[in-house]
Amino acid sequence: MADRLVYNSIQVTHTYAQEREAIATVCPEVISAFTWDEDAEEVIHEGDVPPLP
């Protein structure tokens, strides 16, 4: 799920299955924010991403 925080920033909620866990169970989640920095002309990432499988 993604939500716009302000005109140049979104927040994304990632859900994922843990090792040996069925997708149908309650999955943990991590939250990331992505903001466009106009001066640097790059996207700034804050928060976490799901762990590698």
Side-chain angles (χ1 to χ4, degrees):
M1 172 178 24
D3 295 308
R4 182 168 299 280
L5 301 175
V6 292
Y7 79 98
N8 66 339
S9 185
I10 62 169
Q11 177 175 297
V12 180
T13 302
H14 304 272
T15 57
Y16 60 95
Q18 293 183 3
E19 190 174 331
R20 298 187 199 122
E21 183 178 54
I23 296 295
T25 63
V26 176
C27 298
E29 62 183 32
V30 294
I31 298 175
S32 295
F34 300 91
T35 304
W36 174 249
D37 183 331
E38 191 168 323
D39 293 333
E41 295 186 350
E42 65 182 10
V43 174
I44 307 298
H45 172 253
E46 297 178 89
D48 297 314
V49 294
L52 295 173

